[in-house]
Amino acid sequence: ARKIGYLLQEIRLHGENDELITEVVRLSKKFGIVTEYTEFIASVTGDVSTEVAVNEARQRMNMANAVQAGQPYVPPIGAH
């Protein structure tokens, strides 16, 4: 949990980074810890690949950032 907290702090301080997000998702899945990058995994049945989880987390964070900034969120083409 401490490592995840550290990684999340690094993301907040220095911005999103694929390597950091991937590690947060990996550790969160391994230890069953829900974060802003993995909250959706709790409602999914079956195994979720790290790549799918990272892409989903990125899309959700982009949506949340747009909403927080008062801007409309338009998902990228091909996003589900």
Side-chain angles (χ1 to χ4, degrees), residues 2-4 19-20 24 28 32 34 36 47-48 50 64 71:
R2 288 182 185 166
K3 176 72 173 183
I4 293 171
E19 184 179 338
L20 294 177
V24 167
S28 296
V34 178
E36 57 263 38
D47 192 26
V48 176
T50 300
Q71 300 172 350

Side-chain angles (χ1 to χ4, degrees), residues 1 21 55 66 76:
I21 293 171
N55 289 336

